[in-house]
Amino acid sequence: MIPVMRPVLGEEEAQAAAEAVRSGWVAQGPRVAAFEEAFATRVGAAHGVAVSSCTTGLHLAVHLLGIGAGDEVVVPSLSFIATANAVRYTGATPVFADVDPDTGNLTADTVKAVLTPRTKAVMVVHQAGVPADVESLRALCDPLSVDVVEDAACAAGSTYQGFPVGTGALLAAWSFHPRKLLTTGEGGMVTMDREEWAVRGRRLREHGMSVSAADRHSGGAAVVEEYLETAFNYRLTDIQAAVGLVQLGRLDGIVARRRELAARYHELLADVPGLRMVRDPEHGTTNYQSFWVRLPDDSPLERNDVLAELASRGVSARRGIMASHLEPAYRGHPRGDLPVTEDLTRRTLILPLFHDMTAGEQDTVVDALKASLGLPVATGGVR
Ligand SMILES: *Cc1c(COP(=O)(O)O)cnc(C)c1O
């Protein structure tokens, strides 16, 4: 089977993890601090707070804003369910807004339609790596004192208005799950420019301790810590951070390769009438974390039947981005109409795209998709 995604991991990551183990320091320590600094710099932020996942990072971000019961946070339903769940963890209510059909992202118009006097924040997602138009959201939200938080889980290496996604973000949360471009197995980061949030974020991820465990162990003198507030254990380990530091050095190469493969998909699928493909928006560039396509309106097969057809031809594709409001966990949750979200979640699928994908594998995917849409396919050796 041709997989939908495959992490880029080499001997260097194995070595780095082994060195962390041999050093005897495996919990959060010096490698986490180095990874925070390097990652934040790469995405244009002053500070990085490493956490155990993007999900815990999103929770930390909403918590840092003091959001809780009685508050509303606007989120896209068209996202991995963790986006909405992170709001629920604080006791606040996620309010679903619809998305743009070309980017799959929230827009100022879709957000405006669901704002209420209780809205405290908007959690905008750079979905599948496609940068959202954050400036237009800020223009809408700033005068209302509504904070814009970024779910940048998929967006490492994407750009917005010529700068890395994350630049100028109030708070952005990132994922290092293997389904994303950079991986530490599990892991995440929250980036920001405000130092006081970095200080409090580091405390919140470590039980609310006044002095981090790492500082207590590395300092000579005996220090007795205090627990300043009820907090969490959202720590990343030094083994993971060691892997992350190596991965970060690969980011530019990974993005370049994904964009090259995506450009080839665009060429090979250009002749499929009515097929819409994810692409760069006007305001930035995507890292193509996922290469999604929306089936033509007159597709002879429904999306799930296309997935089955692809599987029978050795291609492991995936359904497109989920819609949280359609899951049992959100049954009965109040919401307005979400027509674009429902169209995209029903009609899109994600095609295989991974760093060491060969032209032959890509041809197999293209032929399988065309065949499932009843179109003629190039026979072997034509390309
Ligand atoms: C993957 C993903 C998450 C969750 O990331 P984890 O690191 O697995 O917790 C959150 N939001 C979006 C948009 C994602 O794609």
Side-chain angles (χ1 to χ4, degrees):
M1 282 302 261
I2 300 176
V4 73
M5 182 69 157
R6 190 184 279 157
V8 188
L9 289 165
E11 205 37 53
E12 297 86 345
E13 281 86 350
Q15 282 284 342
E19 273 165 34
V21 171
R22 285 191 202 104
S23 78
W25 198 306
V26 291
Q28 176 188 288
R31 290 173 181 83
V32 166
F35 184 41
E36 287 176 336
E37 173 150 20
F39 185 84
T41 301
R42 176 61 181 79
V43 302
H47 306 283
V49 176
V51 285
S52 52
S53 69
C54 181
T55 304
T56 56
L58 289 168
H59 177 212
L60 209 64
V62 183
H63 188 83
L64 273 169
L65 293 174
I67 288 169
D71 297 333
E72 294 180 355
V73 178
V74 177
V75 299
S77 167
L78 190 82
S79 185
F80 185 59
I81 198 162
T83 309
N85 285 349
V87 176
R88 274 191 166 174
Y89 296 160
T90 67
T93 304
V95 175
F96 294 127
D98 212 359
V99 293
D100 175 79
D102 292 320
T103 62
N105 288 331
L106 295 181
T107 68
D109 286 341
T110 66
V111 169
K112 194 173 181 183
V114 300
L115 291 176
T116 79
R118 289 169 176 242
T119 310
K120 286 290 184 315
V122 174
M123 191 180 280
V124 61
V125 181
H126 303 285
Q127 196 52 260
V130 178
D133 189 0
V134 181
E135 274 307 312
S136 70
L137 286 171
R138 287 197 193 116
L140 170 71
C141 292
D142 286 356
L144 304 169
S145 297
V146 169
D147 291 324
V148 178
V149 182
E150 300 179 39
D151 179 343
C154 303
S158 297
T159 69
Y160 177 64
Q161 294 180 349
F163 294 94
V165 165
T167 309
L170 190 67
L171 290 159
W174 310 79
S175 173
F176 307 126
H177 183 272
R179 184 67 185 77
K180 325 294 182 181
L181 269 67
L182 300 184
T183 187
T184 58
E186 294 277 1
M189 187 89 73
V190 184
T191 56
M192 73 286 287
D193 287 341
R194 282 193 208 175
E195 183 166 15
E196 69 264 29
W197 282 353
V199 171
R200 181 151 180 247
R202 292 198 179 107
R203 199 163 76 208
L204 284 168
R205 72 159 172 215
E206 193 172 16
H207 307 290
M209 280 183 208
S210 57
V211 185
S212 80
D215 287 348
R216 265 187 294 131
H217 290 299
S218 57
V223 181
V224 178
E225 80 284 8
E226 283 186 292
Y227 296 83
L228 301 171
E229 56 185 319
T230 305
F232 316 100
N233 177 0
Y234 287 170
R235 286 177 296 211
L236 192 75
T237 69
D238 253 31
I239 305 173
Q240 291 167 303
V243 172
L245 280 164
V246 179
Q247 286 272 291
L248 192 56
R250 297 189 194 275
L251 180 59
D252 291 345
I254 293 173
V255 173
R257 178 65 181 146
R258 296 189 75 80
R259 288 182 59 80
E260 185 183 7
L261 288 163
R264 193 159 180 273
Y265 266 140
H266 274 283
E267 259 169 50
L268 298 177
L269 292 169
D271 60 351
V272 179
L275 186 79
R276 198 193 308 153
M277 293 178 261
V278 62
R279 59 177 68 246
D280 287 336
E282 271 173 28
H283 51 255
T285 59
T286 171
N287 62 8
Y288 285 106
Q289 183 267 342
S290 285
F291 192 90
W292 60 258
V293 300
R294 184 195 172 280
L295 294 175
D297 290 329
D298 60 357
S299 168
L301 293 183
E302 294 295 325
R303 192 270 317 277
N304 289 354
D305 297 327
V306 173
L307 289 178
E309 183 67 26
L310 291 175
S312 77
R313 290 165 184 268
V315 175
S316 176
R318 290 282 181 279
R319 71 164 171 170
I321 298 144
M322 65 180 297
S324 305
H325 76 275
L326 298 177
E327 295 299 321
Y330 285 88
R331 196 171 285 148
H333 188 81
R335 61 172 179 87
D337 289 341
L338 301 164
V340 178
T341 297
E342 293 190 352
D343 175 78
L344 286 177
T345 201
R346 288 209 180 99
R347 306 285 290 174
T348 54
L349 57 122
I350 293 169
L351 300 180
L353 184 61
F354 48 92
H355 193 72
D356 53 2
M357 189 177 201
T358 65
E361 286 171 324
Q362 210 176 10
D363 293 345
T364 300
V365 176
V366 168
D367 287 353
L369 180 61
K370 287 184 178 175
S372 70
L373 295 175
L375 298 166
V377 301
T379 45
V382 166
R383 287 198 190 96

